[in-house]
Amino acid sequence: PSSATMGTGRDTRRDSDEALLNTSKYRGVKYECEGALSAFDKAEEWPDLIKYLQRLQKILQRSPEPLIVPHKVLVAKRLGQCLHANLPAGVHLKTLETYQLIFEKLEPTRLAKDIAFYSEGLFPLCRHASYEVKPFLLDLIESHYVPLGRALAPCLSGLVLCLLTALGDSASESHLRVMALLDAVRAATSTSELMTALWVCLLRNADVRLQ
């Protein structure tokens, strides 16, 4: 299909989601989500972020099925901000918990469509994830990214870079698990797609080449 046709399809799905969010079934969740997202601007200390993430989780948990995340681009942006390197592991863990909730409740086709922009804030965490956070990040990748198979294409290079960054030295606890995940990604996509993504990562990221 042409790019114009694909664009029209995305626009149609977006319009459909917006129409659903304005129905009586979803309207309450939409307004609650707006309030929860605006609260992040008022955060003064990191415990505030945990409180606002918990509030967002409760709203999404009681959302009607199927889950349609209101203001999903802003939700992804807020989650990415909560994974900043200067924030403590407790905030990172609560944020990963929120990603997990969203990924579990989204229908597979909707998750495949939206996974790329959720990944923009998630993947950089691999560079600074603490030893207690990294296993949860790898769990998320194993449980929700690998099963997407060929639908990983829009974020495959970012995923491979994330995993390469998480490798560490051969004696680290995560090394074998990351190698297994890379092999699982290869099986879920194809060897050629993985190798292309790998070479793109190596060409564009000198720090990865030096690991």
Side-chain angles (χ1 to χ4, degrees):
S2 69
S3 59
T5 303
M6 291 173 66
T8 301
R10 286 193 294 269
D11 291 343
T12 301
R13 289 192 294 268
R14 182 168 60 247
D15 291 344
S16 175
D17 285 355
E18 286 301 316
L20 281 171
L21 286 169
N22 286 318
T23 63
S24 58
K25 180 179 179 181
Y26 287 95
R27 195 177 298 126
V29 170
K30 178 183 177 181
Y31 292 149
E32 284 188 85
C33 196
E34 288 173 358
L37 292 171
S38 66
F40 282 85
D41 291 325
K42 304 170 187 175
E44 297 180 356
E45 299 178 338
W46 65 262
D48 295 333
L49 295 174
I50 290 181
K51 179 174 68 176
Y52 300 150
L53 287 166
Q54 289 172 330
R55 178 181 173 188
L56 180 60
Q57 286 180 14
K58 289 178 181 178
I59 293 167
L60 296 175
Q61 282 169 342
R62 61 175 178 264
S63 171
E65 299 289 347
L67 174 65
I68 301 174
V69 180
H71 307 290
K72 59 187 178 182
V73 175
L74 183 54
V75 168
K77 179 181 177 181
R78 291 291 185 241
L79 293 180
Q81 290 170 336
C82 289
L83 295 178
H84 192 279
N86 291 338
L87 292 169
V91 178
H92 293 169
L93 288 170
K94 183 58 67 174
T95 305
L96 292 180
E97 191 179 278
T98 309
Y99 276 109
Q100 182 176 359
L101 171 65
I102 292 171
F103 292 173
E104 285 179 347
K105 286 181 67 68
L106 282 176
E107 293 180 324
T109 53
R110 188 168 271 109
L111 176 59
K113 177 170 65 76
D114 294 344
I115 196 69
F117 63 78
Y118 282 116
S119 302
E120 288 181 18
L122 180 63
F123 288 165
L125 176 62
C126 262
R127 295 183 179 275
H128 55 263
S130 68
Y131 73 93
E132 56 189 312
V133 170
K134 188 177 290 186
F136 288 93
L137 175 57
L138 297 180
D139 284 345
L140 201 66
I141 291 171
E142 183 176 16
S143 299
H144 300 288
Y145 278 82
V146 174
L148 291 176
R150 292 295 178 89
L152 285 172
C155 64
L156 185 57
S157 293
L159 175 59
V160 171
L161 177 59
C162 172
L163 291 172
L164 290 177
T165 306
L167 260 178
D169 59 61
S170 58
S172 67
E173 291 183 13
S174 61
H175 186 86
L176 288 177
R177 186 170 185 199
V178 172
M179 291 298 292
L181 277 173
L182 283 168
D183 192 53
V185 171
R186 179 200 58 76
T189 54
S190 71
T191 300
S192 62
E193 286 176 299
L194 179 67
M195 293 305 296
T196 299
L198 178 62
W199 282 114
V200 168
C201 291
L202 294 175
L203 286 171
R204 295 180 179 175
N205 299 273
D207 53 337
V208 173
R209 293 199 300 272
L210 296 172
Q211 280 189 186

